[in-house]
Amino acid sequence: MKERLIFGYDPFVLPFLIGMIFIIAYLLVGTVRIILSLNNNEKKQLFRIFIPVNAYKIVKDIILDCLLHVKIFKRNLLLGYMHSSIAFGWFMLIVLGHIEVMLFTPQRNGIFYYPIFFRYFVMETEETLQGAFFFFVMDFFLLIILSGIALAIYKRFRSHRLGMKQTTKLRLGDNIALYSLWLIFPLRLLAESFTADISGGSFITKGINDLFHSFVSNPANTLPVWWAYSCALGLFFFTLPFSRYMHIPTEILLIVLRHVGINATSLRDGYSEAEIYSCSRCGICIDACPMSFEKKDVKFTSVYFIRLLRRREIAEQPADLCLMCNKCVEVCPVGIDSTKLKLICREINNGAISFDYTPVKYNSPLKREKLLYYGGCMTNLTPSISTAISKILDKAEISYVHLDKDQTICCGRPLLLSGNLKGARELINKNREAIISSGCTTLLLSCPICYKMFKEEYDLKGIEVVHHSVYINNLVKSKRIVLKKTTDTCVYHDPCELGRGSGIYEQPRELLSSMMLLKDSPLQNNESICCGGSLGSISMPFAKRKIITGGSLDNLLTNDPDLLVTSCPLCLKTFTPLNSKRTADIAQVVSEQMIN
Amino acid sequence: MVSPSENLNLNNMYKNVLVLGGGVAGLQAASSLRDLGYRVTLVEKGEKPGGHLNNWDRLYPGNITSSSVIDGYLSNSQGIRILTNTTIKSALKSDKLLTVITSSSEEITVSAVIITTGFSLFDATIKEEYGYGLYNGVITNADLESLFISGKIHNREKPSRVGFVHCVGSRDDKVCNRHCSKICCMTAVKQACEIKEIWPETEAFCFYMDLRMFGRGYEDLYYEAQNKYGVNFIRGRVSEVGEDENGKLVVKAEDTLTSRPLKISLDMLVLMSGMVKNPDNKALSAIFETSIGEDGFFAQPHPIVNPTGSSSTRIFFAGSATGPKSVAESVNEAKSAALSVHMLLSNE
């Protein structure tokens, strides 16, 4: 392999070269801006990338997420292949191009355009046999990319074939970038096939060279195609900052920031900026969002919320509407915490609202027990649950104190989710004081909303916080209560705050399976659909909630169970009026199935 | 069976009309049609005609007993064929006739149908926070009427405080009922006065959102309730009901006039369960090709100028099949529907 052109230059490289310099400069400035916007503490945290464990995690995540798109593979094979073929294939072409330059024309090392247009500048020599390996792998990866591009084009028209009911609507910048991306690789194939008989090629470049010999052997056609290839690349780089493809470089930065422990604290700090630009608008969150049951509400899903943020437009409406069920975060292949961003939006708008929460008081309990039960507001509205709990505890002969039997002080989560941190803090302090002074060692909760709150926002050292689904399951396992079997079948609804929010999926299922046949629903565990009752939304009207409840019920009742069981009082209250079958809390079911 | 033909000028004697539902609207419609000379079949799915009035003690204004209203209809029901424990399975439409097949597989050919299937009482267990079915002291308006009818109310220990919760299952998006059930305000006031008549020393509290005293004489009873009986009216919804160690009900509400949360111990709490759609409406609407509103009640194409007309020529509505109504309104509508049937059939 040796150089064909003495100067190693042709004007057609200019579009690419200028585009490349532009994008590198843009990214450098962007990265510096993001790093500068970190506060001093966070800047210090950046040095943690030198800790080997962190470095390992960062590299691993970059390979798995940015190149191989493993998370998307897990959702849908074809969709995963589409993303990873383009990303990984392109990456390999660049790497291999550089290796070729290093091996065959080391004097051109460091010239930006040389590895990209390598085939144009070189010709085969007697060493070809050595180069044939590269011809093959280069063609192989090009083929992989082309198959990915073909899938991408197909997906634009038939997204459901790739496991997506709906895909993102694009705007001008996205479209130009998209079309130039689609063009890059077919043009590269064509361009390289021109020179396949000069600089070598393998099964596809050579093949095309043979097939269209009369066209590609005409030297007058060569340069225009290389120009076109270079222009497509240049155009892509120029539109990159205005398109969703900014996610390609930004995601790497996001992974770094995440692994050194930096988190979003405002809408435009370094981390959230990186999150916003890391969104590839793949649209996976659209199908996941319960609001997408209504087509006109797709505009409120996270992908569009983040686009509003990126354009610095007003994002208040989607932020307030969101149910905060966290499913979009769960399925996001980039791991963008859009719920947190929405929460920050709300803090800006609602943080100043102030009420007085001081008048409510707990009656001081007459006895001290190791077990303290706190039902919370929602359980006080569903007395069947607290009644069932007291029956179960009595049967297991466990004495306990019911902290809020008479009146309850809210756990603070609704205020926290509405963005009023100050108000939430006030409630947290009041509850915390009462719980600690009760001298309990275990805090039993019925409401997953409270559970998440007590677990994460209360500093209850030495006190075990446990949800009743887990607690009762342990009672059964330790034979403190014995359950009989029934022939009824049931389906279990994962409450957002217990499942995705706290990672409790198995214990309630184990408990139910010990009493009856537990049926599956198509979307369950972390894919479960919010019941629609979530107090996470500030502004969602009942009409919209009803549609979501209906959609969630349809999913749950797919396999026609006799009973819908959940472990959240709010889900129970939301499903009951609309469910034609019985809805029950897991504690109710247990209290009915207990053998004395 | 004689089939009326257009060429024969048969009088009404030979025209059959079906009335579906034996509540007060159905009974009135049937008797009006009979009086106009039609052969009427009244189909009732329950064991006896009378509908919700069978379980109601007294009606206001006038304080007449429900049983006297029903007895009045039944003692004058000769000429009306009443089929109880019967429902409609299907209907076949031909030019000017409808052939209806009942659950006992009888075919009835009629010229018109009046749907008087009424309403259902809201299932108060859905509003779990009020504790119906969980606490002994919590009953519904219908339960209280049953206690009045049977006289068992006198067997109960005298309560020191009784509460009445308005709008249970009405005007409540959370249980998917946005509509007002119209008569519960009046029922609550009436029942509060009745309780005070039985136990004058008992304190009575009505928890309301708005008091909709729309009928003649209703406002008068509201004044009487306050001035004569001393019933307390608290503007605000009940948020939750609990039970203390002594079995007393602990009711939490908001007094919106003083902007303060309120907690009160009661011995008895009466829930004004609202009127909701009859669950059979959907199936019946499919059989008779009529339409149903978002609230599940039958929908009239012209509710203002033709409140008893449906989208099918030979199908009419009367009573609370088309939304919550008082007894008086249902009676009126039944007469109106009978007249509409007569105007249609007498011209054929």
Side-chain angles (χ1 to χ4, degrees):
Chain A
M1 197 72 86
K2 66 172 185 191
E3 285 195 88
R4 197 158 66 89
L5 305 173
I6 302 164
F7 299 112
Y9 168 78
D10 190 282
F12 81 77
V13 303
L14 283 178
F16 162 78
L17 195 61
I18 298 169
M20 191 72 197
I21 290 169
F22 164 76
I23 196 66
I24 287 177
Y26 183 91
L27 292 179
L28 272 178
V29 171
T31 312
V32 168
R33 268 189 53 208
I34 286 183
I35 291 173
L36 283 182
S37 69
L38 296 175
N39 62 35
N40 284 339
N41 238 343
E42 289 173 331
K43 276 180 202 146
K44 272 182 213 153
Q45 276 178 296
L46 270 184
F47 289 101
R48 290 194 199 160
I49 48 172
F50 299 112
I51 301 172
V53 185
N54 287 342
Y56 164 74
K57 279 185 189 159
I58 288 168
V59 173
K60 190 185 112 192
D61 271 13
I62 289 174
I63 293 172
L64 291 184
D65 292 348
C66 303
L67 291 178
L68 297 178
H69 290 88
V70 172
K71 281 184 195 149
I72 307 182
F73 260 113
K74 280 181 192 159
R75 289 200 73 72
N76 182 292
L77 274 181
L78 266 186
L79 196 66
Y81 177 77
M82 183 196 103
H83 284 90
S84 69
S85 62
I86 300 174
F88 184 64
W90 201 358
F91 174 75
M92 287 311 287
L93 283 187
I94 296 167
V95 170
L96 290 166
H98 281 85
I99 294 176
E100 280 185 313
V101 173
M102 276 184 241
L103 282 179
F104 302 117
T105 57
Q107 69 276 23
R108 299 291 178 197
N109 256 343
I111 297 179
F112 270 158
Y113 59 82
Y114 217 77
I116 311 300
F117 304 116
F118 184 70
R119 288 277 181 280
Y120 181 81
F121 294 112
V122 296
M123 58 193 288
E124 281 181 283
T125 61
E126 60 276 12
E127 289 172 52
T128 301
L129 206 59
Q130 210 180 339
F133 168 73
F134 285 103
F135 298 155
F136 175 76
V137 278
M138 290 295 265
D139 267 21
F140 173 73
F141 281 113
L142 189 57
L143 182 69
I144 299 255
I145 298 176
L146 286 169
S147 63
I149 297 276
L151 275 176
I153 295 171
Y154 184 58
K155 180 188 149 238
R156 273 284 125 196
F157 304 105
R158 293 263 185 281
S159 63
H160 64 272
R161 289 290 176 85
L162 276 79
M164 290 176 71
K165 282 192 214 122
Q166 299 178 65
T167 189
T168 331
K169 278 210 179 85
L170 302 180
R171 291 205 178 161
L172 186 68
D174 291 325
N175 273 323
I176 297 175
L178 179 76
Y179 296 138
S180 53
L181 181 67
W182 285 357
L183 275 176
I184 288 171
F185 298 98
L187 283 172
R188 177 176 176 131
L189 171 68
L190 203 58
E192 290 193 340
S193 64
F194 271 97
T195 45
D197 52 355
I198 305 167
S199 54
S202 188
F203 57 98
I204 50 169
T205 41
K206 214 39 177 273
I208 289 190
N209 186 291
D210 291 344
L211 205 61
F212 303 109
H213 196 74
S214 59
F215 178 72
V216 298
S217 60
N218 183 353
N221 292 335
T222 314
L223 266 181
V225 180
W226 281 95
W227 266 99
Y229 173 41
S230 172
C231 285
L233 280 169
L235 187 63
F236 180 69
F237 291 142
F238 271 111
T239 44
L240 192 76
F242 315 104
S243 76
R244 57 195 185 136
Y245 296 101
M246 266 307 279
H247 83 92
I248 302 170
T250 321
E251 199 182 337
I252 297 170
L253 180 65
L254 181 69
I255 289 172
V256 172
L257 293 178
R258 185 183 300 144
H259 280 298
V260 298
I262 294 173
N263 213 328
T265 47
S266 87
L267 272 188
R268 302 299 309 195
D269 66 1
Y271 189 82
S272 47
E273 193 90 16
E275 278 192 313
I276 290 167
Y277 281 93
S278 290
C279 173
S280 65
R281 289 178 215 154
C282 63
I284 287 176
C285 55
I286 297 179
D287 285 343
C289 182
M291 279 193 273
S292 66
F293 283 123
E294 259 196 307
K295 205 130 198 185
K296 64 177 168 55
D297 287 347
V298 164
K299 59 177 180 286
F300 299 125
T301 54
S302 292
V303 56
Y304 296 112
F305 165 73
I306 288 173
R307 186 160 81 182
L308 285 176
L309 289 185
R310 186 168 156 182
R311 292 162 190 271
R312 293 171 194 271
E313 286 168 24
I314 299 161
E316 197 179 318
Q317 200 186 3
D320 283 358
L321 259 181
C322 175
L323 292 160
M324 305 233 152
C325 75
N326 233 29
K327 191 165 171 188
C328 52
V329 180
E330 190 76 22
V331 300
C332 179
V334 188
I336 299 170
D337 193 347
S338 42
T339 306
K340 175 91 203 217
L341 292 175
K342 286 169 189 163
L343 199 53
I344 294 172
C345 264
R346 291 181 181 185
E347 280 163 23
I348 295 167
N349 298 323
N350 309 324
I353 302 170
S354 170
F355 294 105
D356 183 12
Y357 300 100
T358 39
V360 194
K361 273 195 201 97
Y362 287 123
N363 297 341
S364 47
L366 299 168
K367 46 181 185 171
R368 287 170 82 86
E369 294 290 350
K370 285 188 170 161
L371 181 65
L372 185 70
Y373 176 62
Y374 171 92
C377 317
M378 288 315 303
T379 313
N380 278 9
L381 296 181
T382 49
S384 58
I385 298 179
S386 45
T387 313
I389 296 280
S390 89
K391 256 169 99 179
I392 293 165
L393 292 175
D394 288 349
K395 185 74 74 186
E397 292 171 352
I398 297 170
S399 46
Y400 68 104
V401 170
H402 188 161
L403 178 67
D404 59 345
K405 184 172 171 56
D406 189 42
Q407 57 186 353
T408 199
I409 297 174
C410 170
C411 68
R413 188 140 178 87
L415 275 178
L416 186 91
L417 289 179
S418 73
N420 187 343
L421 298 186
K422 195 176 141 269
R425 195 47 57 191
E426 207 176 303
L427 295 174
I428 290 172
N429 291 340
K430 280 204 105 170
N431 273 321
R432 196 170 166 268
E433 205 178 295
I435 291 164
I436 288 177
S437 66
S438 80
C440 69
T441 52
T442 305
L443 175 64
L444 177 63
L445 302 163
S446 280
C447 175
I449 306 163
C450 307
Y451 175 72
K452 190 173 168 66
M453 193 69 182
F454 281 105
K455 208 131 184 144
E456 292 177 2
E457 304 292 332
Y458 283 62
D459 183 22
L460 295 172
K461 282 201 188 78
I463 298 172
E464 187 199 5
V465 179
V466 56
H467 183 258
H468 73 238
S469 60
V470 177
Y471 190 84
I472 298 171
N473 190 40
N474 289 340
L475 288 183
V476 173
K477 285 210 288 200
S478 60
K479 303 254 167 21
R480 297 288 292 268
I481 51 170
V482 183
L483 303 177
K484 57 177 186 280
K485 290 229 173 215
T486 149
T487 51
D488 282 353
T489 60
C490 71
V491 68
Y492 177 68
H493 167 73
D494 289 285
C496 303
E497 302 271 48
L498 195 66
R500 281 185 293 271
S502 311
I504 294 175
Y505 300 110
E506 283 319 307
Q507 295 93 326
R509 288 192 162 77
E510 193 180 30
L511 180 54
L512 282 173
S513 302
S514 67
M515 295 179 280
M516 56 181 83
L517 179 69
L518 176 65
K519 289 187 170 179
D520 281 336
S521 57
L523 294 170
Q524 55 186 9
N525 295 326
N526 64 337
E527 298 266 335
S528 126
I529 307 170
C530 171
C531 68
S534 166
L535 43 73
S537 176
I538 297 182
S539 57
M540 188 173 286
F542 281 108
K544 276 197 204 306
R545 288 179 182 270
K546 232 162 105 176
I547 291 166
I548 294 171
T549 311
S552 184
L553 269 177
D554 284 347
N555 170 59
L556 287 164
L557 302 180
T558 308
N559 292 324
D560 197 30
D562 301 316
L563 185 62
L564 165 59
V565 184
T566 181
S567 46
C568 168
L570 181 52
C571 298
L572 178 71
K573 274 198 81 64
T574 312
F575 282 133
T576 305
L578 280 167
N579 186 4
S580 53
K581 300 193 171 153
R582 188 185 166 208
T583 318
D585 187 88
I586 197 161
Q588 275 174 281
V589 181
V590 169
S591 75
E592 287 160 17
Q593 295 303 118
M594 282 190 303
I595 308 173
N596 359 319
Chain B
M1 184 161 289
V2 184
S3 294
S5 152
E6 281 184 48
N7 301 329
L8 293 169
N9 188 13
L10 296 172
N11 68 26
N12 300 341
M13 281 296 286
Y14 297 99
K15 285 181 177 160
N16 294 289
V17 180
L18 178 75
V19 177
L20 198 52
V24 65
L27 289 168
Q28 178 61 57
S31 79
S32 295
L33 286 166
R34 189 252 345 253
D35 293 347
L36 288 165
Y38 296 92
R39 296 207 305 202
V40 186
T41 309
L42 178 71
V43 172
E44 163 60 39
K45 75 171 171 182
E47 275 175 19
K48 57 176 183 179
H52 291 282
L53 280 192
N54 283 330
N55 310 318
W56 222 254
D57 183 37
R58 275 175 292 170
L59 302 173
Y60 188 87
N63 237 353
I64 56 166
T65 57
S66 307
S67 54
S68 71
V69 175
I70 298 299
D71 290 346
Y73 285 117
L74 293 183
S75 62
N76 184 26
S77 64
Q78 54 275 47
I80 302 170
R81 186 165 170 245
I82 299 178
L83 303 174
T84 54
N85 291 319
T86 309
T87 55
I88 300 300
K89 288 282 152 224
S90 61
L92 271 173
K93 233 160 87 170
S94 56
D95 182 25
K96 287 185 173 169
L97 293 172
L98 275 151
T99 305
V100 173
I101 298 161
T102 69
S103 51
S104 48
S105 303
E106 187 186 334
E107 287 186 18
I108 308 171
T109 302
V110 296
S111 302
V113 176
I114 302 182
I115 296 178
T116 55
T117 47
F119 66 93
S120 291
L121 213 57
F122 173 75
D123 174 12
T125 55
I126 293 175
K127 286 298 278 184
E128 209 193 311
E129 58 265 49
Y130 295 157
Y132 182 62
L134 284 168
Y135 311 129
N136 291 331
V138 182
I139 59 173
T140 65
N141 42 6
D143 295 338
L144 184 61
E145 291 291 336
S146 299
L147 289 173
F148 285 149
I149 294 176
S150 63
K152 281 183 186 158
I153 190 82
H154 300 285
N155 304 345
R156 281 178 94 102
E157 201 184 322
K158 186 183 103 178
S160 58
R161 281 170 168 177
V162 179
F164 295 85
V165 186
H166 292 229
C167 301
V168 176
S170 311
R171 301 179 71 195
D172 188 348
D173 253 326
K174 284 188 185 173
V175 292
C176 311
N177 295 327
R178 195 177 296 161
H179 63 269
C180 165
S181 292
K182 214 171 181 178
I183 59 153
C184 340
C185 280
M186 193 53 223
T187 306
V189 173
K190 181 199 82 135
Q191 291 185 342
C193 295
E194 285 167 332
I195 288 283
K196 290 291 280 189
E197 264 171 12
I198 299 171
W199 298 299
E201 287 101 60
T202 297
E203 281 184 279
F205 298 87
C206 283
F207 299 91
Y208 68 97
M209 285 202 272
D210 298 296
L211 278 171
R212 299 191 164 177
M213 295 290 158
F214 62 97
R216 186 178 181 195
Y218 290 14
E219 192 75 8
D220 301 326
L221 189 66
Y222 171 45
Y223 274 102
E224 208 175 299
Q226 293 173 84
N227 300 330
K228 181 175 164 196
Y229 293 105
V231 177
N232 300 293
F233 286 88
I234 296 164
R235 199 186 81 180
R237 296 193 89 156
V238 169
S239 61
E240 57 189 70
V241 179
E243 205 175 31
D244 67 9
E245 286 81 10
N246 313 320
K248 283 218 172 211
L249 298 168
V250 181
V251 174
K252 277 172 237 170
E254 187 189 0
D255 185 345
T256 58
L257 293 181
T258 56
S259 300
R260 286 178 74 95
L262 176 144
K263 200 169 103 174
I264 186 169
S265 286
L266 301 174
D267 301 290
M268 190 199 281
L269 188 69
V270 188
L271 308 179
M272 293 299 126
S273 272
M275 291 168 140
V276 297
K277 63 168 193 249
N278 186 326
D280 302 335
N281 284 3
K282 215 171 179 177
L284 287 172
S285 178
I287 291 173
F288 291 111
E289 295 171 16
T290 56
S291 51
I292 279 189
E294 211 186 312
D295 52 9
F297 288 100
F298 285 100
Q300 315 101 306
H302 306 289
I304 293 173
V305 290
N306 187 12
T308 58
S310 79
S311 44
S312 296
T313 330
R314 286 167 198 284
I315 314 291
F316 298 84
F317 303 122
S320 51
T322 53
K325 284 184 191 81
S326 68
V327 172
E329 287 169 322
S330 297
V331 168
N332 253 339
E333 267 200 7
K335 288 180 178 174
S336 160
L339 196 58
S340 298
V341 169
H342 180 60
M343 279 155 74
L344 174 77
L345 299 187
S346 58
N347 288 332
E348 284 179 350

